[in-house]
Amino acid sequence: MPKREKKESMKIVPPGKKKCVWMEAGVVSYKLCDNNYDCPTCVYDHAMQTKVDRQKEAALTRPIEASPDQFTHSWVDKMMRLPASKRKCRYMITGEVDRKICPNAYECGTCSFDRMMQQRLQAEPLPVKTPAEVAGFELADGFYYHEGHTWARPEYGGRVRVGLDDFAQKLVGRLKRIDLPHIGHQLNQGETGFTVTRNGDTVGVLSPVDGIVSRVNDKILNNPELINRSPYEQGWLMIIEPTKLRKNLKGLYYGEEASSHIQAEKDRLFEVANEEFRMAADGGESVEDISGEMEGEAWVKLAKTFLRSQ
Amino acid sequence: MISEGGNAHLPLCVMICSIGPVDPFVRDQVAECVSCQCRLPCRFSPEMTTPAYAFDEKRQQYNSKLILRYLMDLNHRSLRFLAVTQLDLFVPILKYVFGLAQIEGQCAIISTYRLRPEYYGHAPNPALFMERVKKTALHELGHTMGLTHCRDRRCIMHSATTIEDTDVKRARFCPTCHEIFKWQLEQYVS
Ligand SMILES: [Zn+2]
Ligand SMILES: [Zn+2]
């Protein structure tokens, strides 16, 4: 039965992608989330909800036949039909908690577990799978990378966490200070979002997305070395409420593209750092602190070149 | 100044030179590989002494950039000059290098230090070791002929950050890199 097999294989969710709640509940057979589980702002969720409401109304006046493209139940209706022990909490569906049964009939807006999770998820960086090594630099999987070496990671609820990538971290080295914008500040993709300072020299870093700063990582203000120790987790910088996420993500590197970008940047870094004559080096990882080998003017020049800032 | 690549009057050959003691067998194998793959005859120049000037106390390694600089200032009577050493090399910014080369220039250097399986705690494997030496030599020669890094993982001009990268590559140029290499070489012949 090859036909059936095909249908099954279509339901495979690619790694790194997540099922839409409408798929999880079994209302639709295949739909991936493309809005970071921010259902209130999701066009698809709205359209589905409208469809369900309309068909529910129609069902009141005349009985309708069951057919695959008619939806008389929303995902919440479907989930509520399951035995209580099968009603997965939305944080379980998205993998943020291992096992959690919905305690509040999917009324997430009034759920205290939901509120706790929202706050916790903002404060704690999500765990990162062991980052891949590309050209001697670590790249975290599932992150989007700006050419100016910041990363953006869309998270639950449509927020975006932002940080410096491993290349930037090694490039700028041990920082004396990092100045992050205030909460409520508007950032624009490709424009200076914050600054880093070392040995009295300050360089701007570009924001990877457009949006409003909703939280900054207080821990790194006193401990900038967290950025060096853990650029993709503990060293995160801020959380942004994006305003043009879908458009912004298209302007960022992801997956294979991110790898190619880092490889090219390594070669370029080598050229810039050794510009007296053209040469190519083959081998190792970069030293932990690239700028430790070049102070003052050289540091500013190198940082500005690769962070693409003025 | 003969450090630039466009010297048609230089003998069309690759000079191979040991820096510090190097197993003559390794040297011979490199020569054989280069003449076979690049269609360039090889000659040997007398061994140079260990370059004390390039030793970095802090890193306990030799700065390959300083060695390359030194080689570039010498007057070589050959199209290309390939130095081979057993010393552990680095360049500023990188923790170590397998090789360093001028892009479209006369000189390159390779190190066998991190090419031995023993270095990674594996059993000695002379065949694998020689494979790595040849690949590294061809790669650096490619740079001196103006080739930059190739995206094809199997191509000899793919950048090697780790020894695994070296092992994945084949000891030959991909069609594009081969064409560029050949074209560059023809420039010197005509
Ligand atoms: Zn190379
Ligand atoms: Zn190639």
Side-chain angles (χ1 to χ4, degrees), chain A residues 135 263 266-267 273-274 276 278-280 282-288 293, chain B residues 59 65 92-99 101-103 139-140 143 149 160-161:
Chain A
Q263 182 67 60
K266 183 193 179 187
D267 286 352
N274 300 285
E276 322 90 271
R278 275 189 86 203
M279 60 177 179
D282 291 284
E285 271 162 86
S286 80
V287 293
E288 299 307 325
E293 306 205 341
Chain B
R59 291 219 195 184
K65 194 173 157 183
I93 289 187
L94 301 184
K95 284 187 180 165
Y96 58 85
V97 290
F98 301 123
Q102 282 181 272
I103 297 179
H139 180 98
E140 298 310 330
H143 280 314
H149 287 148
T161 300

PDB file of all heavy atoms in Angstrom, chain A residues 135 263 266-267 273-274 276 278-280 282-288 293, chain B residues 59 65 92-99 101-103 139-140 143 149 160-161:
ATOM      1  N   ALA A 135      34.714  25.370  11.319  1.00  0.00           N
ATOM      2  CA  ALA A 135      35.946  26.143  11.148  1.00  0.00           C
ATOM      3  C   ALA A 135      36.554  26.547  12.486  1.00  0.00           C
ATOM      4  O   ALA A 135      37.175  27.584  12.614  1.00  0.00           O
ATOM      5  CB  ALA A 135      35.680  27.380  10.289  1.00  0.00           C
ATOM      6  N   GLN A 263      32.676  29.846   7.935  1.00  0.00           N
ATOM      7  CA  GLN A 263      33.891  29.398   7.239  1.00  0.00           C
ATOM      8  C   GLN A 263      34.530  30.567   6.477  1.00  0.00           C
ATOM      9  O   GLN A 263      35.734  30.796   6.562  1.00  0.00           O
ATOM     10  CB  GLN A 263      33.521  28.271   6.265  1.00  0.00           C
ATOM     11  CG  GLN A 263      34.698  27.693   5.522  1.00  0.00           C
ATOM     12  CD  GLN A 263      35.662  26.958   6.444  1.00  0.00           C
ATOM     13  OE1 GLN A 263      35.304  26.000   7.110  1.00  0.00           O
ATOM     14  NE2 GLN A 263      36.892  27.445   6.510  1.00  0.00           N
ATOM     15  N   LYS A 266      36.125  33.070   8.828  1.00  0.00           N
ATOM     16  CA  LYS A 266      37.412  32.651   9.383  1.00  0.00           C
ATOM     17  C   LYS A 266      38.534  32.999   8.404  1.00  0.00           C
ATOM     18  O   LYS A 266      39.560  33.538   8.810  1.00  0.00           O
ATOM     19  CB  LYS A 266      37.412  31.152   9.658  1.00  0.00           C
ATOM     20  CG  LYS A 266      38.717  30.705  10.294  1.00  0.00           C
ATOM     21  CD  LYS A 266      38.875  29.211  10.303  1.00  0.00           C
ATOM     22  CE  LYS A 266      40.197  28.818  10.921  1.00  0.00           C
ATOM     23  NZ  LYS A 266      40.447  27.382  10.795  1.00  0.00           N
ATOM     24  N   ASP A 267      38.326  32.702   7.134  1.00  0.00           N
ATOM     25  CA  ASP A 267      39.352  33.017   6.141  1.00  0.00           C
ATOM     26  C   ASP A 267      39.595  34.525   6.070  1.00  0.00           C
ATOM     27  O   ASP A 267      40.722  34.982   5.972  1.00  0.00           O
ATOM     28  CB  ASP A 267      38.940  32.492   4.752  1.00  0.00           C
ATOM     29  CG  ASP A 267      39.077  30.978   4.654  1.00  0.00           C
ATOM     30  OD1 ASP A 267      39.631  30.377   5.598  1.00  0.00           O
ATOM     31  OD2 ASP A 267      38.637  30.396   3.654  1.00  0.00           O
ATOM     32  N   ALA A 273      43.759  40.026   9.691  1.00  0.00           N
ATOM     33  CA  ALA A 273      44.736  40.067  10.769  1.00  0.00           C
ATOM     34  C   ALA A 273      46.165  39.987  10.248  1.00  0.00           C
ATOM     35  O   ALA A 273      47.113  40.299  10.945  1.00  0.00           O
ATOM     36  CB  ALA A 273      44.466  38.933  11.756  1.00  0.00           C
ATOM     37  N   ASN A 274      46.323  39.532   9.010  1.00  0.00           N
ATOM     38  CA  ASN A 274      47.670  39.379   8.450  1.00  0.00           C
ATOM     39  C   ASN A 274      47.734  40.054   7.091  1.00  0.00           C
ATOM     40  O   ASN A 274      47.993  39.420   6.085  1.00  0.00           O
ATOM     41  CB  ASN A 274      48.005  37.893   8.285  1.00  0.00           C
ATOM     42  CG  ASN A 274      47.970  37.159   9.595  1.00  0.00           C
ATOM     43  OD1 ASN A 274      48.874  37.287  10.404  1.00  0.00           O
ATOM     44  ND2 ASN A 274      46.916  36.402   9.817  1.00  0.00           N
ATOM     45  N   GLU A 276      49.720  42.222   5.776  1.00  0.00           N
ATOM     46  CA  GLU A 276      50.977  42.676   5.158  1.00  0.00           C
ATOM     47  C   GLU A 276      51.231  41.936   3.853  1.00  0.00           C
ATOM     48  O   GLU A 276      51.787  42.472   2.920  1.00  0.00           O
ATOM     49  CB  GLU A 276      52.182  42.461   6.059  1.00  0.00           C
ATOM     50  CG  GLU A 276      51.986  42.703   7.530  1.00  0.00           C
ATOM     51  CD  GLU A 276      51.553  41.450   8.245  1.00  0.00           C
ATOM     52  OE1 GLU A 276      50.315  41.245   8.301  1.00  0.00           O
ATOM     53  OE2 GLU A 276      52.399  40.704   8.747  1.00  0.00           O
ATOM     54  N   ARG A 278      49.477  38.523   1.299  1.00  0.00           N
ATOM     55  CA  ARG A 278      48.358  37.582   1.145  1.00  0.00           C
ATOM     56  C   ARG A 278      48.805  36.182   1.483  1.00  0.00           C
ATOM     57  O   ARG A 278      49.716  35.645   0.876  1.00  0.00           O
ATOM     58  CB  ARG A 278      47.859  37.610  -0.305  1.00  0.00           C
ATOM     59  CG  ARG A 278      46.865  38.677  -0.597  1.00  0.00           C
ATOM     60  CD  ARG A 278      46.298  38.474  -1.979  1.00  0.00           C
ATOM     61  NE  ARG A 278      45.169  37.549  -1.965  1.00  0.00           N
ATOM     62  CZ  ARG A 278      44.766  36.861  -3.029  1.00  0.00           C
ATOM     63  NH1 ARG A 278      45.430  36.941  -4.163  1.00  0.00           N
ATOM     64  NH2 ARG A 278      43.713  36.072  -2.947  1.00  0.00           N
ATOM     65  N   MET A 279      48.150  35.595   2.465  1.00  0.00           N
ATOM     66  CA  MET A 279      48.477  34.207   2.750  1.00  0.00           C
ATOM     67  C   MET A 279      47.257  33.490   3.294  1.00  0.00           C
ATOM     68  O   MET A 279      46.263  34.095   3.665  1.00  0.00           O
ATOM     69  CB  MET A 279      49.641  34.118   3.724  1.00  0.00           C
ATOM     70  CG  MET A 279      49.374  34.770   5.039  1.00  0.00           C
ATOM     71  SD  MET A 279      50.789  34.513   6.106  1.00  0.00           S
ATOM     72  CE  MET A 279      50.262  35.373   7.552  1.00  0.00           C
ATOM     73  N   ALA A 280      47.351  32.182   3.296  1.00  0.00           N
ATOM     74  CA  ALA A 280      46.264  31.357   3.797  1.00  0.00           C
ATOM     75  C   ALA A 280      46.831  30.388   4.810  1.00  0.00           C
ATOM     76  O   ALA A 280      47.919  29.853   4.621  1.00  0.00           O
ATOM     77  CB  ALA A 280      45.621  30.599   2.644  1.00  0.00           C
ATOM     78  N   ASP A 282      46.084  26.931   7.262  1.00  0.00           N
ATOM     79  CA  ASP A 282      45.230  25.773   7.389  1.00  0.00           C
ATOM     80  C   ASP A 282      45.451  25.157   8.718  1.00  0.00           C
ATOM     81  O   ASP A 282      46.536  24.767   9.050  1.00  0.00           O
ATOM     82  CB  ASP A 282      45.556  24.779   6.287  1.00  0.00           C
ATOM     83  CG  ASP A 282      45.101  25.376   5.010  1.00  0.00           C
ATOM     84  OD1 ASP A 282      43.910  25.372   4.775  1.00  0.00           O
ATOM     85  OD2 ASP A 282      45.957  25.946   4.292  1.00  0.00           O
ATOM     86  N   GLY A 283      44.376  25.073   9.481  1.00  0.00           N
ATOM     87  CA  GLY A 283      44.487  24.466  10.757  1.00  0.00           C
ATOM     88  C   GLY A 283      43.541  25.115  11.701  1.00  0.00           C
ATOM     89  O   GLY A 283      42.532  25.684  11.312  1.00  0.00           O
ATOM     90  N   GLY A 284      43.950  24.951  12.878  1.00  0.00           N
ATOM     91  CA  GLY A 284      43.166  25.018  14.031  1.00  0.00           C
ATOM     92  C   GLY A 284      42.191  26.052  14.336  1.00  0.00           C
ATOM     93  O   GLY A 284      42.082  27.077  13.728  1.00  0.00           O
ATOM     94  N   GLU A 285      41.471  25.638  15.335  1.00  0.00           N
ATOM     95  CA  GLU A 285      40.615  26.516  16.110  1.00  0.00           C
ATOM     96  C   GLU A 285      41.303  27.840  16.335  1.00  0.00           C
ATOM     97  O   GLU A 285      42.519  27.878  16.464  1.00  0.00           O
ATOM     98  CB  GLU A 285      40.514  25.926  17.504  1.00  0.00           C
ATOM     99  CG  GLU A 285      39.452  24.957  17.756  1.00  0.00           C
ATOM    100  CD  GLU A 285      39.859  24.236  19.017  1.00  0.00           C
ATOM    101  OE1 GLU A 285      39.555  24.727  20.102  1.00  0.00           O
ATOM    102  OE2 GLU A 285      40.526  23.205  18.864  1.00  0.00           O
ATOM    103  N   SER A 286      40.492  28.865  16.485  1.00  0.00           N
ATOM    104  CA  SER A 286      41.088  30.143  16.845  1.00  0.00           C
ATOM    105  C   SER A 286      41.413  30.091  18.329  1.00  0.00           C
ATOM    106  O   SER A 286      40.853  29.298  19.060  1.00  0.00           O
ATOM    107  CB  SER A 286      40.102  31.263  16.579  1.00  0.00           C
ATOM    108  OG  SER A 286      39.177  31.332  17.617  1.00  0.00           O
ATOM    109  N   VAL A 287      42.345  30.924  18.740  1.00  0.00           N
ATOM    110  CA  VAL A 287      42.648  31.018  20.162  1.00  0.00           C
ATOM    111  C   VAL A 287      41.404  31.554  20.866  1.00  0.00           C
ATOM    112  O   VAL A 287      40.533  32.138  20.231  1.00  0.00           O
ATOM    113  CB  VAL A 287      43.849  31.951  20.420  1.00  0.00           C
ATOM    114  CG1 VAL A 287      45.103  31.324  19.851  1.00  0.00           C
ATOM    115  CG2 VAL A 287      43.624  33.325  19.821  1.00  0.00           C
ATOM    116  N   GLU A 288      41.321  31.353  22.180  1.00  0.00           N
ATOM    117  CA  GLU A 288      40.125  31.774  22.921  1.00  0.00           C
ATOM    118  C   GLU A 288      39.894  33.272  22.775  1.00  0.00           C
ATOM    119  O   GLU A 288      38.778  33.730  22.699  1.00  0.00           O
ATOM    120  CB  GLU A 288      40.264  31.450  24.410  1.00  0.00           C
ATOM    121  CG  GLU A 288      40.427  29.968  24.731  1.00  0.00           C
ATOM    122  CD  GLU A 288      39.339  29.112  24.109  1.00  0.00           C
ATOM    123  OE1 GLU A 288      38.197  29.581  24.018  1.00  0.00           O
ATOM    124  OE2 GLU A 288      39.667  27.981  23.687  1.00  0.00           O
ATOM    125  N   GLU A 293      45.600  39.006  21.135  1.00  0.00           N
ATOM    126  CA  GLU A 293      46.809  39.070  20.329  1.00  0.00           C
ATOM    127  C   GLU A 293      46.911  40.386  19.573  1.00  0.00           C
ATOM    128  O   GLU A 293      47.840  40.610  18.828  1.00  0.00           O
ATOM    129  CB  GLU A 293      46.847  37.886  19.361  1.00  0.00           C
ATOM    130  CG  GLU A 293      46.690  36.576  20.101  1.00  0.00           C
ATOM    131  CD  GLU A 293      47.286  35.384  19.379  1.00  0.00           C
ATOM    132  OE1 GLU A 293      47.501  35.479  18.162  1.00  0.00           O
ATOM    133  OE2 GLU A 293      47.526  34.371  20.049  1.00  0.00           O
TER     134      GLU A 293
ATOM    135  N   ARG B  59      53.797  29.974  23.889  1.00  0.00           N
ATOM    136  CA  ARG B  59      53.031  28.904  23.257  1.00  0.00           C
ATOM    137  C   ARG B  59      53.806  27.602  23.124  1.00  0.00           C
ATOM    138  O   ARG B  59      53.219  26.562  22.836  1.00  0.00           O
ATOM    139  CB  ARG B  59      52.627  29.345  21.855  1.00  0.00           C
ATOM    140  CG  ARG B  59      51.611  30.455  21.827  1.00  0.00           C
ATOM    141  CD  ARG B  59      50.685  30.136  20.705  1.00  0.00           C
ATOM    142  NE  ARG B  59      49.856  31.234  20.285  1.00  0.00           N
ATOM    143  CZ  ARG B  59      48.927  31.096  19.347  1.00  0.00           C
ATOM    144  NH1 ARG B  59      48.772  29.943  18.743  1.00  0.00           N
ATOM    145  NH2 ARG B  59      48.177  32.105  19.010  1.00  0.00           N
ATOM    146  N   LYS B  65      54.307  32.195  10.592  1.00  0.00           N
ATOM    147  CA  LYS B  65      54.305  33.422   9.798  1.00  0.00           C
ATOM    148  C   LYS B  65      55.728  33.990   9.714  1.00  0.00           C
ATOM    149  O   LYS B  65      56.158  34.471   8.667  1.00  0.00           O
ATOM    150  CB  LYS B  65      53.364  34.430  10.465  1.00  0.00           C
ATOM    151  CG  LYS B  65      53.006  35.603   9.617  1.00  0.00           C
ATOM    152  CD  LYS B  65      51.944  36.437  10.302  1.00  0.00           C
ATOM    153  CE  LYS B  65      51.944  37.856   9.798  1.00  0.00           C
ATOM    154  NZ  LYS B  65      50.956  38.679  10.517  1.00  0.00           N
ATOM    155  N   PRO B  92      49.502  33.713  14.644  1.00  0.00           N
ATOM    156  CA  PRO B  92      48.674  34.511  15.541  1.00  0.00           C
ATOM    157  C   PRO B  92      47.213  34.260  15.183  1.00  0.00           C
ATOM    158  O   PRO B  92      46.901  34.096  14.004  1.00  0.00           O
ATOM    159  CB  PRO B  92      49.082  35.949  15.212  1.00  0.00           C
ATOM    160  CG  PRO B  92      50.471  35.824  14.674  1.00  0.00           C
ATOM    161  CD  PRO B  92      50.517  34.509  13.956  1.00  0.00           C
ATOM    162  N   ILE B  93      46.368  34.178  16.160  1.00  0.00           N
ATOM    163  CA  ILE B  93      44.931  33.921  16.027  1.00  0.00           C
ATOM    164  C   ILE B  93      44.579  32.435  16.057  1.00  0.00           C
ATOM    165  O   ILE B  93      43.599  32.058  16.666  1.00  0.00           O
ATOM    166  CB  ILE B  93      44.311  34.556  14.760  1.00  0.00           C
ATOM    167  CG1 ILE B  93      44.267  36.075  14.946  1.00  0.00           C
ATOM    168  CG2 ILE B  93      42.904  34.056  14.503  1.00  0.00           C
ATOM    169  CD1 ILE B  93      43.541  36.776  13.858  1.00  0.00           C
ATOM    170  N   LEU B  94      45.366  31.581  15.420  1.00  0.00           N
ATOM    171  CA  LEU B  94      45.000  30.161  15.417  1.00  0.00           C
ATOM    172  C   LEU B  94      45.872  29.361  16.380  1.00  0.00           C
ATOM    173  O   LEU B  94      47.047  29.665  16.578  1.00  0.00           O
ATOM    174  CB  LEU B  94      45.126  29.563  14.008  1.00  0.00           C
ATOM    175  CG  LEU B  94      44.286  30.221  12.916  1.00  0.00           C
ATOM    176  CD1 LEU B  94      44.433  29.465  11.607  1.00  0.00           C
ATOM    177  CD2 LEU B  94      42.817  30.288  13.313  1.00  0.00           C
ATOM    178  N   LYS B  95      45.265  28.311  16.953  1.00  0.00           N
ATOM    179  CA  LYS B  95      45.986  27.517  17.948  1.00  0.00           C
ATOM    180  C   LYS B  95      47.110  26.699  17.329  1.00  0.00           C
ATOM    181  O   LYS B  95      48.073  26.372  17.999  1.00  0.00           O
ATOM    182  CB  LYS B  95      45.011  26.570  18.645  1.00  0.00           C
ATOM    183  CG  LYS B  95      44.125  27.282  19.660  1.00  0.00           C
ATOM    184  CD  LYS B  95      43.294  26.297  20.440  1.00  0.00           C
ATOM    185  CE  LYS B  95      42.414  27.028  21.446  1.00  0.00           C
ATOM    186  NZ  LYS B  95      41.350  26.165  21.974  1.00  0.00           N
ATOM    187  N   TYR B  96      46.924  26.295  16.088  1.00  0.00           N
ATOM    188  CA  TYR B  96      47.967  25.534  15.394  1.00  0.00           C
ATOM    189  C   TYR B  96      47.681  25.607  13.910  1.00  0.00           C
ATOM    190  O   TYR B  96      46.569  25.960  13.509  1.00  0.00           O
ATOM    191  CB  TYR B  96      47.974  24.062  15.842  1.00  0.00           C
ATOM    192  CG  TYR B  96      46.659  23.369  15.607  1.00  0.00           C
ATOM    193  CD1 TYR B  96      46.364  22.791  14.373  1.00  0.00           C
ATOM    194  CD2 TYR B  96      45.684  23.335  16.604  1.00  0.00           C
ATOM    195  CE1 TYR B  96      45.138  22.179  14.143  1.00  0.00           C
ATOM    196  CE2 TYR B  96      44.453  22.726  16.379  1.00  0.00           C
ATOM    197  CZ  TYR B  96      44.186  22.157  15.145  1.00  0.00           C
ATOM    198  OH  TYR B  96      42.971  21.570  14.909  1.00  0.00           O
ATOM    199  N   VAL B  97      48.659  25.287  13.101  1.00  0.00           N
ATOM    200  CA  VAL B  97      48.394  25.150  11.669  1.00  0.00           C
ATOM    201  C   VAL B  97      49.076  23.895  11.127  1.00  0.00           C
ATOM    202  O   VAL B  97      50.120  23.486  11.596  1.00  0.00           O
ATOM    203  CB  VAL B  97      48.850  26.374  10.826  1.00  0.00           C
ATOM    204  CG1 VAL B  97      47.986  27.583  11.088  1.00  0.00           C
ATOM    205  CG2 VAL B  97      50.311  26.700  11.034  1.00  0.00           C
ATOM    206  N   PHE B  98      48.406  23.308  10.151  1.00  0.00           N
ATOM    207  CA  PHE B  98      49.017  22.199   9.410  1.00  0.00           C
ATOM    208  C   PHE B  98      49.927  22.786   8.334  1.00  0.00           C
ATOM    209  O   PHE B  98      50.908  22.170   7.940  1.00  0.00           O
ATOM    210  CB  PHE B  98      47.949  21.352   8.726  1.00  0.00           C
ATOM    211  CG  PHE B  98      46.946  20.757   9.670  1.00  0.00           C
ATOM    212  CD1 PHE B  98      45.583  21.006   9.522  1.00  0.00           C
ATOM    213  CD2 PHE B  98      47.368  19.931  10.703  1.00  0.00           C
ATOM    214  CE1 PHE B  98      44.661  20.448  10.387  1.00  0.00           C
ATOM    215  CE2 PHE B  98      46.433  19.364  11.570  1.00  0.00           C
ATOM    216  CZ  PHE B  98      45.079  19.631  11.415  1.00  0.00           C
ATOM    217  N   GLY B  99      49.551  23.951   7.850  1.00  0.00           N
ATOM    218  CA  GLY B  99      50.342  24.581   6.811  1.00  0.00           C
ATOM    219  C   GLY B  99      50.001  26.047   6.651  1.00  0.00           C
ATOM    220  O   GLY B  99      48.957  26.510   7.109  1.00  0.00           O
ATOM    221  N   ALA B 101      50.639  29.284   3.608  1.00  0.00           N
ATOM    222  CA  ALA B 101      51.148  29.559   2.266  1.00  0.00           C
ATOM    223  C   ALA B 101      50.845  30.978   1.856  1.00  0.00           C
ATOM    224  O   ALA B 101      49.852  31.565   2.280  1.00  0.00           O
ATOM    225  CB  ALA B 101      50.500  28.599   1.262  1.00  0.00           C
ATOM    226  N   GLN B 102      51.710  31.506   0.997  1.00  0.00           N
ATOM    227  CA  GLN B 102      51.399  32.767   0.344  1.00  0.00           C
ATOM    228  C   GLN B 102      50.335  32.446  -0.693  1.00  0.00           C
ATOM    229  O   GLN B 102      50.407  31.398  -1.343  1.00  0.00           O
ATOM    230  CB  GLN B 102      52.613  33.272  -0.419  1.00  0.00           C
ATOM    231  CG  GLN B 102      53.677  33.918   0.417  1.00  0.00           C
ATOM    232  CD  GLN B 102      54.791  34.382  -0.512  1.00  0.00           C
ATOM    233  OE1 GLN B 102      55.690  33.633  -0.800  1.00  0.00           O
ATOM    234  NE2 GLN B 102      54.688  35.619  -0.977  1.00  0.00           N
ATOM    235  N   ILE B 103      49.367  33.342  -0.861  1.00  0.00           N
ATOM    236  CA  ILE B 103      48.413  33.132  -1.945  1.00  0.00           C
ATOM    237  C   ILE B 103      49.031  33.773  -3.179  1.00  0.00           C
ATOM    238  O   ILE B 103      49.395  34.942  -3.162  1.00  0.00           O
ATOM    239  CB  ILE B 103      47.040  33.752  -1.609  1.00  0.00           C
ATOM    240  CG1 ILE B 103      46.459  33.043  -0.388  1.00  0.00           C
ATOM    241  CG2 ILE B 103      46.090  33.627  -2.803  1.00  0.00           C
ATOM    242  CD1 ILE B 103      45.130  33.572   0.078  1.00  0.00           C
ATOM    243  N   HIS B 139      47.699  20.975  -0.939  1.00  0.00           N
ATOM    244  CA  HIS B 139      46.814  22.082  -0.568  1.00  0.00           C
ATOM    245  C   HIS B 139      47.599  23.405  -0.520  1.00  0.00           C
ATOM    246  O   HIS B 139      47.188  24.407  -1.103  1.00  0.00           O
ATOM    247  CB  HIS B 139      46.175  21.781   0.793  1.00  0.00           C
ATOM    248  CG  HIS B 139      45.244  22.838   1.277  1.00  0.00           C
ATOM    249  ND1 HIS B 139      43.874  22.749   1.136  1.00  0.00           N
ATOM    250  CD2 HIS B 139      45.474  24.024   1.889  1.00  0.00           C
ATOM    251  CE1 HIS B 139      43.320  23.828   1.644  1.00  0.00           C
ATOM    252  NE2 HIS B 139      44.262  24.624   2.111  1.00  0.00           N
ATOM    253  N   GLU B 140      48.726  23.392   0.150  1.00  0.00           N
ATOM    254  CA  GLU B 140      49.501  24.635   0.283  1.00  0.00           C
ATOM    255  C   GLU B 140      50.064  25.070  -1.070  1.00  0.00           C
ATOM    256  O   GLU B 140      50.115  26.256  -1.379  1.00  0.00           O
ATOM    257  CB  GLU B 140      50.613  24.474   1.323  1.00  0.00           C
ATOM    258  CG  GLU B 140      50.134  24.164   2.746  1.00  0.00           C
ATOM    259  CD  GLU B 140      49.038  25.080   3.271  1.00  0.00           C
ATOM    260  OE1 GLU B 140      48.973  26.259   2.869  1.00  0.00           O
ATOM    261  OE2 GLU B 140      48.220  24.612   4.092  1.00  0.00           O
ATOM    262  N   HIS B 143      47.479  26.952  -2.829  1.00  0.00           N
ATOM    263  CA  HIS B 143      47.395  28.359  -2.413  1.00  0.00           C
ATOM    264  C   HIS B 143      48.442  29.201  -3.147  1.00  0.00           C
ATOM    265  O   HIS B 143      48.160  30.306  -3.608  1.00  0.00           O
ATOM    266  CB  HIS B 143      47.626  28.492  -0.906  1.00  0.00           C
ATOM    267  CG  HIS B 143      46.420  28.155  -0.077  1.00  0.00           C
ATOM    268  ND1 HIS B 143      45.155  28.619  -0.367  1.00  0.00           N
ATOM    269  CD2 HIS B 143      46.295  27.411   1.063  1.00  0.00           C
ATOM    270  CE1 HIS B 143      44.295  28.167   0.543  1.00  0.00           C
ATOM    271  NE2 HIS B 143      44.959  27.424   1.415  1.00  0.00           N
ATOM    272  N   HIS B 149      40.158  28.782  -0.668  1.00  0.00           N
ATOM    273  CA  HIS B 149      39.473  27.583  -0.185  1.00  0.00           C
ATOM    274  C   HIS B 149      38.246  27.233  -1.024  1.00  0.00           C
ATOM    275  O   HIS B 149      37.501  28.102  -1.449  1.00  0.00           O
ATOM    276  CB  HIS B 149      39.112  27.732   1.291  1.00  0.00           C
ATOM    277  CG  HIS B 149      40.317  27.615   2.151  1.00  0.00           C
ATOM    278  ND1 HIS B 149      40.465  28.296   3.333  1.00  0.00           N
ATOM    279  CD2 HIS B 149      41.451  26.893   1.977  1.00  0.00           C
ATOM    280  CE1 HIS B 149      41.649  27.996   3.853  1.00  0.00           C
ATOM    281  NE2 HIS B 149      42.268  27.144   3.048  1.00  0.00           N
ATOM    282  N   ALA B 160      41.037  22.809   5.996  1.00  0.00           N
ATOM    283  CA  ALA B 160      41.074  21.806   7.064  1.00  0.00           C
ATOM    284  C   ALA B 160      41.306  22.494   8.400  1.00  0.00           C
ATOM    285  O   ALA B 160      42.360  23.066   8.637  1.00  0.00           O
ATOM    286  CB  ALA B 160      42.175  20.790   6.800  1.00  0.00           C
ATOM    287  N   THR B 161      40.287  22.428   9.233  1.00  0.00           N
ATOM    288  CA  THR B 161      40.438  22.971  10.577  1.00  0.00           C
ATOM    289  C   THR B 161      40.942  21.872  11.501  1.00  0.00           C
ATOM    290  O   THR B 161      41.762  22.099  12.375  1.00  0.00           O
ATOM    291  CB  THR B 161      39.084  23.497  11.097  1.00  0.00           C
ATOM    292  OG1 THR B 161      38.639  24.505  10.215  1.00  0.00           O
ATOM    293  CG2 THR B 161      39.220  24.076  12.485  1.00  0.00           C
TER     294      THR B 161
END
